[in-house]
Amino acid sequence: MTLASSAAFPARAVSGAHARITGTGSHLPARRLTNDELAARLAADGIETSDAWITERTGIRARHFADPGVGASDLAVPAAQAALTAAGRRAEDLDLIIVATSTPDMVFPSTACIVQRKLGAAGCPAFDLQAVCSGFVYALTVADSMVRAGAARCALVIGAEVFSHLLDFSDRTTCVLFGDGAGAVVLEASDAPGILACELHADGRHADILCTPGSIAGGQVVGRPLLHMDGQAVFKLAVGVLDQVAQAVLDRAGRTAADVDWFIPHQANLRIMASTARKLGVPAERVIVTVDEHGNTSAASIPLALDHGVRQGRIRPGDTLLLEGVGGGFTWGAVLLDF
Ligand code: UT7
């Protein structure tokens, strides 16, 4: 007997001209640290920082940290359940699960398979996608392609991270920037769009400027499994590419910045977000900002911001959304969609 012929897991090829987000969800760990609380913790180890520096340079005021032992899948599952509820779907309806993460629960199996087990959605394909802070736009693009190709009709796309596990708390240039969390969307086959245009890029020549250069070999950790970032180099590359990739998806869909109801950029630094919005001509009040409360949650930042916008009643059905990510790799990309 092959799995493909198993009656329990029937192959479900379906067609759908478009893919549409039908539900969003998110989850943050309960432990919230303000800049002052983090600064006090670092000061105890002789590391000097301040709320004023962090707020002025990044816009971050607080972040959430998972407790020890809590993994990406633990944050992903409640986010996924909220998205399924919003979509009016059950785990059994899923025929694809993609988890964008750079902080998987373990080397293998994938966090997506662990999420699948915890949700009780056995049978459908499940895999992780690793594109660091661009992970969610990469995963949404892959899911959109699979839905439009008829390979799935009800996909769960998650961004889930516990970046606190990777932080070097003796490095003030990085440890104040990141946080933990998860966001999820249900993406379904639909007669109407949906996702209008996607564009992804990578340039591996810049792999060293944002990396966690560790691995496992022979039962030992090899290298340095803590986050390293040349912040200024990342900043310069990010502001150089983000407006271009956003303009590319607008052009491809025959839309302009004036059509964008909400711009939902990767939440790393308020200055990068403001600069991109300014270059595109999207007014500041049309930018969803959560970096102040979440910090940089890598692949989780965009779906977290999307879900917060939806639950605050700001993002409404029919709105045109411009999502865009940038991060380690160096990777970047954008997705334009009608919500
Ligand atoms: O998620 C992937 C995408 N990531 C990003 O988009 C991050 C991109 N980069 C950035 O957001 C910014 O480069 C940072 C927020 C990381 C840094 O801001 P910056 O304005 O580029 O600061 P800087 O690196 O030029 O540092 C300015 C000063 C330095 O001191 P000196 O050399 O001028 O005396 C740093 O040592 O600020 C100092 N500094 C700090 N001071 C207090 C660096 N970190 C801290 C800190 N507290 N936490």
Side-chain angles (χ1 to χ4, degrees), residues 73-101:
S73 73
D74 298 308
L75 305 182
V77 166
Q81 285 165 333
L84 284 166
T85 301
R89 292 288 180 190
R90 295 171 307 161
E92 306 89 279
D93 298 326
L94 293 172
D95 49 22
L96 174 66
I97 300 174
I98 307 178
V99 176
T101 186

Side-chain angles (χ1 to χ4, degrees), residues 171 173-174 177-178 206-211 227-238 272 330:
D171 176 9
T173 69
T174 54
L177 305 176
F178 294 89
H206 304 292
D208 295 344
I209 62 171
L210 177 48
C211 56
L227 185 146
H228 160 83
M229 180 168 75
D230 176 345
Q232 285 193 4
V234 173
F235 193 102
K236 277 187 202 138
L237 278 172
I272 297 175
F330 190 73

Side-chain angles (χ1 to χ4, degrees), residues 149-168:
R153 71 177 171 206
C154 184
L156 180 62
V157 185
I158 303 172
E161 302 279 20
V162 279
F163 256 56
S164 61
H165 290 184
L166 301 179
L167 294 177
D168 175 356

Side-chain angles (χ1 to χ4, degrees), residues 48-50 53 57-58 133 172-173 176-178 210 229 231-232 234-235 266 268-269 271-272 296 326-327:
E48 203 182 308
T49 189
S50 64
W53 190 94
R57 302 283 174 140
T58 71
C133 303
R172 69 176 182 174
T173 69
V176 301
L177 305 176
F178 294 89
L210 177 48
M229 180 168 75
Q232 285 193 4
V234 173
F235 193 102
H266 170 49
N269 186 318
R271 288 185 291 150
I272 297 175
N296 180 347
V326 61

Side-chain angles (χ1 to χ4, degrees), residues 117-158:
R117 178 176 64 190
K118 290 180 177 175
L119 288 175
C124 69
F127 60 91
D128 286 1
L129 193 152
Q130 219 273 44
V132 203
C133 303
S134 308
F136 186 75
V137 290
Y138 264 68
L140 197 56
T141 301
V142 170
D144 172 56
S145 304
M146 291 182 70
V147 168
R148 285 188 297 104
R153 71 177 171 206
C154 184
L156 180 62
V157 185
I158 303 172

